[in-house]
Amino acid sequence: MSTLSTHVLDAVRGAPAAGVTVTLYQRDRRLDSGETDADGRIGALGEALEPGTYRLVFDTGAYFAQREVETFYPEVSIAFAVTEQRHYHVPLLLSPFAFSTYRGS
């Protein structure tokens, strides 16, 4: 079975984004949720993941609201495919008006 982690970096502050709530879904079924730590990381989300399509939803609106920063994206949703047994890492580089992601290691 596969495992999953994530990391959020605030590109404007040049620092980890602590306190971002992240929820893992498979289709419309909520599997797990967590909050990024002081280093902007969640080390494990969900149990062992089987092959399939999953989605991470980052509550970016609440993160920026706590900092009194206007944002265009109230949430960021990233769909990804688990295709083999391995560890998947899905990082998010975040700013109030843009975001980027990639398959990490």
Side-chain angles (χ1 to χ4, degrees), residues 12-75:
V12 173
R13 293 179 42 240
V20 177
T21 299
V22 183
T23 305
L24 173 65
Y25 293 90
Q26 186 176 31
R27 295 188 183 97
D28 290 331
R29 186 171 59 119
R30 182 188 175 278
L31 299 178
D32 198 6
S33 185
E35 187 173 286
T36 57
D37 63 17
D39 195 33
R41 296 180 183 275
I42 299 177
L45 270 172
E47 300 287 322
L49 304 179
E50 296 186 15
T53 301
Y54 294 84
R55 183 169 41 102
L56 285 175
V57 178
F58 298 80
D59 188 357
T60 54
Y63 170 77
F64 284 118
Q66 287 180 321
R67 284 149 187 81
E68 298 180 357
V69 173
E70 179 185 351
T71 183
F72 183 68
Y73 299 105
E75 69 179 30

Side-chain angles (χ1 to χ4, degrees), residues 59-105:
D59 188 357
T60 54
Y63 170 77
F64 284 118
Q66 287 180 321
R67 284 149 187 81
E68 298 180 357
V69 173
E70 179 185 351
T71 183
F72 183 68
Y73 299 105
E75 69 179 30
V76 171
S77 179
I78 300 171
F80 61 97
V82 169
T83 58
E84 58 185 281
Q85 289 187 1
R86 60 172 294 203
H87 178 74
Y88 289 84
H89 183 68
V90 182
L92 177 66
L93 183 61
L94 180 63
S95 80
F97 301 103
F99 65 89
S100 178
T101 187
Y102 57 93
R103 187 178 93 171
S105 58

